[in-house]
Tab-separated table of all heavy atoms in Angstrom:
chain	number	residue	atom	x	y	z
A	1250	GLY	N	0.830	-1.220	0.001
A	1250	GLY	CA	-0.004	-0.013	0.016
A	1250	GLY	C	0.827	1.219	-0.016
A	1250	GLY	O	0.326	2.314	-0.307
A	1251	ARG	N	2.116	1.144	0.331
A	1251	ARG	CA	2.983	2.339	0.357
A	1251	ARG	C	4.074	2.178	-0.707
A	1251	ARG	O	5.104	2.880	-0.665
A	1251	ARG	CB	3.729	2.443	1.770
A	1251	ARG	CG	2.765	2.463	2.945
A	1251	ARG	CD	1.876	3.656	3.028
A	1251	ARG	NE	2.626	4.928	3.096
A	1251	ARG	CZ	2.030	6.100	2.952
A	1251	ARG	NH1	0.718	6.166	2.728
A	1251	ARG	NH2	2.774	7.222	2.939
A	1252	THR	N	3.834	1.314	-1.671
A	1252	THR	CA	4.813	1.134	-2.758
A	1252	THR	C	4.251	1.759	-4.022
A	1252	THR	O	3.107	1.481	-4.415
A	1252	THR	CB	5.077	-0.434	-3.025
A	1252	THR	OG1	5.572	-0.959	-1.782
A	1252	THR	CG2	6.033	-0.606	-4.125
A	1253	TYR	N	5.018	2.551	-4.709
A	1253	TYR	CA	4.534	3.366	-5.856
A	1253	TYR	C	5.316	3.167	-7.126
A	1253	TYR	O	6.546	3.020	-7.068
A	1253	TYR	CB	4.488	4.843	-5.427
A	1253	TYR	CG	3.646	5.125	-4.232
A	1253	TYR	CD1	4.310	5.150	-3.000
A	1253	TYR	CD2	2.273	5.236	-4.361
A	1253	TYR	CE1	3.515	5.406	-1.796
A	1253	TYR	CE2	1.520	5.474	-3.202
A	1253	TYR	CZ	2.132	5.529	-1.929
A	1253	TYR	OH	1.352	5.721	-0.813
A	1254	ILE	N	4.678	3.174	-8.238
A	1254	ILE	CA	5.331	3.337	-9.558
A	1254	ILE	C	4.946	4.733	-9.989
A	1254	ILE	O	3.856	5.061	-10.384
A	1254	ILE	CB	4.769	2.257	-10.564
A	1254	ILE	CG1	5.050	0.874	-10.052
A	1254	ILE	CG2	5.371	2.541	-11.955
A	1254	ILE	CD1	6.509	0.489	-9.993
A	1255	ALA	N	5.967	5.629	-9.929
A	1255	ALA	CA	5.794	7.048	-10.278
A	1255	ALA	C	6.175	7.267	-11.668
A	1255	ALA	O	7.169	8.026	-11.909
A	1255	ALA	CB	6.460	7.928	-9.269
A	1256	SER	N	5.469	6.680	-12.612
A	1256	SER	CA	5.676	6.934	-14.063
A	1256	SER	C	5.186	8.362	-14.411
A	1256	SER	O	4.313	8.896	-13.690
A	1256	SER	CB	5.058	5.916	-14.974
A	1256	SER	OG	3.685	5.741	-14.588
A	1257	VAL	N	5.752	8.910	-15.488
A	1257	VAL	CA	5.334	10.346	-15.833
A	1257	VAL	C	3.862	10.338	-16.101
A	1257	VAL	O	3.175	11.235	-15.673
A	1257	VAL	CB	6.212	10.756	-17.073
A	1257	VAL	CG1	5.740	12.104	-17.559
A	1257	VAL	CG2	7.694	10.846	-16.695
A	1258	LYS	N	3.376	9.367	-16.868
A	1258	LYS	CA	1.906	9.344	-17.119
A	1258	LYS	C	1.245	8.213	-16.245
A	1258	LYS	O	1.762	7.095	-16.179
A	1258	LYS	CB	1.642	8.962	-18.617
A	1258	LYS	CG	2.061	10.130	-19.598
A	1258	LYS	CD	1.734	9.699	-20.966
A	1258	LYS	CE	2.099	10.779	-21.973
A	1258	LYS	NZ	2.068	10.272	-23.348
A	1259	GLU	N	0.164	8.461	-15.712
A	1259	GLU	CA	-0.628	7.547	-14.758
A	1259	GLU	C	-0.914	6.238	-15.607
A	1259	GLU	O	-0.842	5.164	-15.091
A	1259	GLU	CB	-1.881	8.180	-14.277
A	1259	GLU	CG	-2.610	7.239	-13.275
A	1259	GLU	CD	-3.790	7.895	-12.635
A	1259	GLU	OE1	-4.066	9.075	-12.908
A	1259	GLU	OE2	-4.421	7.106	-11.838
A	1260	GLU	N	-1.267	6.425	-16.870
A	1260	GLU	CA	-1.744	5.257	-17.663
A	1260	GLU	C	-0.664	4.251	-17.893
A	1260	GLU	O	-0.802	3.064	-18.070
A	1260	GLU	CB	-2.269	5.658	-19.031
A	1260	GLU	CG	-1.089	6.232	-19.972
A	1260	GLU	CD	-1.665	7.100	-21.142
A	1260	GLU	OE1	-2.389	8.044	-20.892
A	1260	GLU	OE2	-1.365	6.706	-22.241
A	1261	ASN	N	0.685	4.719	-17.738
A	1261	ASN	CA	1.842	3.789	-17.854
A	1261	ASN	C	1.989	2.908	-16.683
A	1261	ASN	O	2.779	1.977	-16.735
A	1261	ASN	CB	3.079	4.605	-18.177
A	1261	ASN	CG	2.972	5.167	-19.662
A	1261	ASN	OD1	2.197	4.707	-20.429
A	1261	ASN	ND2	3.782	6.223	-19.891
A	1262	ALA	N	1.504	3.250	-15.464
A	1262	ALA	CA	1.570	2.393	-14.319
A	1262	ALA	C	0.547	1.316	-14.374
A	1262	ALA	O	0.837	0.195	-13.895
A	1262	ALA	CB	1.339	3.222	-13.044
A	1263	GLY	N	-0.641	1.511	-14.858
A	1263	GLY	CA	-1.605	0.465	-15.104
A	1263	GLY	C	-2.335	0.092	-13.758
A	1263	GLY	O	-2.061	0.616	-12.686
A	1264	PRO	N	-3.302	-0.767	-13.902
A	1264	PRO	CA	-4.269	-1.003	-12.773
A	1264	PRO	C	-3.696	-1.858	-11.704
A	1264	PRO	O	-4.268	-2.036	-10.612
A	1264	PRO	CB	-5.382	-1.719	-13.467
A	1264	PRO	CG	-4.830	-2.416	-14.706
A	1264	PRO	CD	-3.741	-1.477	-15.144
A	1265	THR	N	-2.429	-2.502	-11.866
A	1265	THR	CA	-1.918	-3.314	-10.825
A	1265	THR	C	-0.945	-2.550	-9.891
A	1265	THR	O	-0.448	-3.146	-8.942
A	1265	THR	CB	-1.165	-4.523	-11.413
A	1265	THR	OG1	-0.105	-4.034	-12.288
A	1265	THR	CG2	-2.064	-5.436	-12.240
A	1266	ASN	N	-0.733	-1.226	-10.175
A	1266	ASN	CA	0.212	-0.465	-9.406
A	1266	ASN	C	-0.468	0.730	-8.766
A	1266	ASN	O	-1.466	1.253	-9.257
A	1266	ASN	CB	1.374	-0.004	-10.280
A	1266	ASN	CG	2.319	-1.083	-10.716
A	1266	ASN	OD1	2.799	-1.826	-9.861
A	1266	ASN	ND2	2.621	-1.153	-11.979
A	1267	ASN	N	0.203	1.215	-7.639
A	1267	ASN	CA	-0.231	2.495	-6.994
A	1267	ASN	C	0.578	3.544	-7.810
A	1267	ASN	O	1.803	3.462	-7.836
A	1267	ASN	CB	0.196	2.512	-5.528
A	1267	ASN	CG	-0.561	1.533	-4.751
A	1267	ASN	OD1	-1.755	1.254	-4.985
A	1267	ASN	ND2	0.047	0.896	-3.754
A	1268	TRP	N	-0.132	4.532	-8.302
A	1268	TRP	CA	0.601	5.628	-8.989
A	1268	TRP	C	0.491	6.917	-8.255
A	1268	TRP	O	-0.553	7.310	-7.626
A	1268	TRP	CB	-0.051	5.839	-10.378
A	1268	TRP	CG	0.581	6.947	-11.178
A	1268	TRP	CD1	1.749	6.807	-11.868
A	1268	TRP	CD2	0.133	8.263	-11.337
A	1268	TRP	NE1	2.015	8.112	-12.549
A	1268	TRP	CE2	1.057	8.948	-12.175
A	1268	TRP	CE3	-0.939	9.009	-10.781
A	1268	TRP	CZ2	0.925	10.352	-12.509
A	1268	TRP	CZ3	-1.094	10.350	-11.158
A	1268	TRP	CH2	-0.159	10.982	-11.961
A	1269	ILE	N	1.596	7.679	-8.219
A	1269	ILE	CA	1.580	9.084	-7.768
A	1269	ILE	C	2.391	9.887	-8.767
A	1269	ILE	O	3.338	9.378	-9.335
A	1269	ILE	CB	2.246	9.242	-6.416
A	1269	ILE	CG1	1.543	8.495	-5.281
A	1269	ILE	CG2	2.307	10.701	-5.991
A	1269	ILE	CD1	2.087	8.771	-3.878
A	1270	ASP	N	1.932	11.120	-9.029
A	1270	ASP	CA	2.725	11.962	-9.940
A	1270	ASP	C	4.124	12.084	-9.443
A	1270	ASP	O	4.355	12.445	-8.275
A	1270	ASP	CB	2.014	13.369	-9.930
A	1270	ASP	CG	2.805	14.301	-10.739
A	1270	ASP	OD1	2.740	14.258	-12.035
A	1270	ASP	OD2	3.512	15.136	-10.136
A	1271	PRO	N	5.170	11.849	-10.298
A	1271	PRO	CA	6.568	11.836	-9.800
A	1271	PRO	C	7.009	13.188	-9.225
A	1271	PRO	O	7.758	13.188	-8.316
A	1271	PRO	CB	7.365	11.409	-11.020
A	1271	PRO	CG	6.412	11.557	-12.270
A	1271	PRO	CD	5.029	11.427	-11.706
A	1272	VAL	N	6.506	14.310	-9.834
A	1272	VAL	CA	6.926	15.619	-9.326
A	1272	VAL	C	6.436	15.826	-7.934
A	1272	VAL	O	7.101	16.255	-7.023
A	1272	VAL	CB	6.396	16.756	-10.338
A	1272	VAL	CG1	6.744	18.081	-9.764
A	1272	VAL	CG2	7.030	16.520	-11.708
A	1273	GLU	N	5.141	15.414	-7.726
A	1273	GLU	CA	4.514	15.632	-6.382
A	1273	GLU	C	5.154	14.615	-5.373
A	1273	GLU	O	5.444	15.058	-4.234
A	1273	GLU	CB	2.993	15.229	-6.553
A	1273	GLU	CG	2.186	15.373	-5.252
A	1273	GLU	CD	0.797	14.679	-5.387
A	1273	GLU	OE1	0.266	14.663	-6.424
A	1273	GLU	OE2	0.342	14.209	-4.382
């Protein structure tokens, strides 16, 4: 729940990952 894939675009992380905007 605290593990993130901070790809530039949210769609590139996909539904199996937690995404956060990398800049934020």
Side-chain angles (χ1 to χ4, degrees):
R1251 308 294 302 169
T1252 301
Y1253 301 96
I1254 299 294
S1256 48
V1257 174
K1258 292 181 180 169
E1259 183 174 0
E1260 68 199 56
N1261 292 340
T1265 57
N1266 288 310
N1267 296 322
W1268 179 83
I1269 297 186
D1270 175 76
V1272 177
E1273 182 193 329

